[in-house]
Amino acid sequence: MTETMSPPVTGMVWIPGGRFRMGSDEHYPEEAPAHPASVDGFWIDPHTVTNAEFAVFVRRTGHVTVAERPADPASYPGARPDLLAAASTVFVPPRHRVDLRDPYQWWTYVPGADWRHPQGPGSSIRKMPDHPVVHVTWEDVTAYADWAGKQVPTEAEWEFAARGGLDGAEFAWGDEFTPDGRHLANTWQGEFPIENNATDGYLRTAPVGRYPANGYGLHDMIGNVWEWTADWYGEHRPAEHACCAVTNPRGGDRDASHDRAVRGPRIPRKVMKGGSHLCSPNYCRRYRPAARMPQAVDTSTSHLGFRCIVRP
């Protein structure tokens, strides 16, 4: 197709599309069932949007991220006033072993934390222009994509691209996590959440492109930061017949995507993919293309970013 001859934006990578095995039956229940799917070709950014790139967007548009604005009390009836301040969610390692079933032991709502101040007041991205931008909600992501003339990938598009042509492989580079002892992604080494040995070189985010690209020339599809996708979170919907692949599948229903276990406002959730620098063998083995988790659209964190695509 002539659309594939030159990228719509310099540096974007063409993904030819095709059929693949989506999901996994070997790990977490939300990844199952593994099923055939197919996607059409598209262009994709070779790495997540960086602090420098997001800064250009903010400078030219005046966009103020959700984390930089106080929350509207009408949207969160009954919320404590301190929880309505401009803030975001930051990973803060506890000083001792904690119950791994309670993520609030290491996630802290920090007033003043935002994309410019990833660890909260006093922190800065001044020396991190090439790190992934974080503390961005779904609203911020779509605002950037619209400004850039791009889109956010679906879960299927993202997973197909992450596999790099290795259909069914465990990781983005093959079936061995650290071949010959070499770290190929920014993840957690040690006992999460209290000890990170950083043998991969980084305690938190790494500059984009520090680790080898996958077979399609894409960096950090695994680890570093989770990435937003365009799909509402829900169970996988395989084809009615196992022999048939769903073409360009979309995710769940918006109204059904919220967490029924959480009291209060029913906040819809998107699928995030890829794992982050906080994924570890003893807690979260989600540094794989098939891995997926829900993310509330109004919530930003210190380990979640995004990349964009363009469909011909």
Side-chain angles (χ1 to χ4, degrees):
M1 297 192 308
T2 57
E3 296 97 327
T4 68
M5 295 306 293
S6 59
V9 177
T10 300
M12 296 191 83
V13 176
W14 173 251
I15 305 299
R19 176 171 167 152
F20 71 110
R21 183 173 174 82
M22 185 174 179
S24 171
D25 296 322
E26 306 299 326
H27 294 278
Y28 297 98
E30 69 271 11
E31 301 169 20
H35 59 280
S38 66
V39 295
D40 295 332
F42 56 94
W43 294 93
I44 189 169
D45 292 333
H47 56 72
T48 53
V49 174
T50 65
N51 288 319
E53 291 168 335
F54 198 78
V56 173
F57 157 67
V58 168
R59 187 166 61 248
R60 293 183 180 176
T61 65
H63 180 81
V64 179
T65 63
V66 170
E68 296 173 282
R69 301 177 238 152
D72 181 359
S75 299
Y76 304 94
R80 300 199 320 256
D82 60 304
L83 295 179
L84 298 174
S88 192
T89 307
V90 177
F91 172 78
V92 179
R95 298 185 179 183
H96 52 79
R97 287 188 174 91
V98 296
D99 186 347
L100 294 181
R101 295 170 295 181
D102 181 10
Y104 293 105
Q105 296 287 339
W106 54 84
W107 284 116
T108 303
Y109 198 57
V110 178
D114 54 48
W115 73 274
R116 291 186 177 92
H117 310 95
Q119 300 303 310
S123 64
S124 170
I125 59 168
R126 187 171 58 87
K127 296 182 179 180
M128 302 166 58
D130 53 354
H131 284 238
V133 65
V134 292
H135 295 298
V136 285
T137 66
W138 179 244
E139 178 184 325
D140 305 319
V141 168
T142 54
Y144 179 95
D146 290 345
W147 168 79
K150 299 179 179 181
Q151 298 90 44
V152 182
T154 65
E155 179 180 3
E157 288 169 332
W158 192 98
E159 185 170 329
F160 183 84
R163 292 185 177 280
L166 298 178
D167 187 24
E170 192 83 338
F171 305 105
W173 50 83
D175 289 320
E176 187 177 352
F177 184 48
T178 52
D180 298 323
R182 185 184 181 197
H183 290 286
L184 300 180
N186 181 16
T187 60
W188 183 287
Q189 299 86 53
E191 184 183 349
F192 181 88
I194 59 173
E195 180 188 30
N196 187 350
N197 299 323
T199 54
D200 61 3
Y202 297 94
L203 278 172
R204 298 191 181 99
T205 59
V208 299
R210 272 307 154 87
Y211 297 91
N214 72 1
Y216 288 145
L218 308 179
H219 294 275
D220 303 320
M221 297 300 288
I222 301 302
N224 214 12
V225 294
W226 284 93
E227 299 184 26
W228 287 98
T229 74
D231 284 357
W232 298 112
Y233 184 78
E235 294 182 356
H236 272 159
R237 296 186 195 173
E240 185 174 342
H241 302 288
C243 63
C244 304
V246 178
T247 301
N248 298 319
R250 296 305 306 262
D253 177 74
R254 180 186 188 278
D255 292 336
S257 69
H258 68 274
D259 187 350
R260 294 176 177 83
V262 175
R263 295 182 179 180
R266 296 160 71 98
I267 306 300
R269 302 178 295 172
K270 294 285 186 177
V271 176
M272 63 178 188
K273 298 283 283 182
S276 78
H277 59 283
L278 300 181
C279 286
S280 71
N282 77 299
Y283 174 67
C284 175
R285 297 176 60 87
R286 290 186 170 91
Y287 31 67
R288 297 170 290 103
R292 61 199 300 264
M293 287 193 72
Q295 178 68 16
V297 295
D298 67 341
T299 302
S300 57
T301 73
S302 60
H303 75 331
L304 172 59
F306 70 105
R307 78 180 72 209
C308 296
I309 69 167
V310 171
R311 301 181 186 98

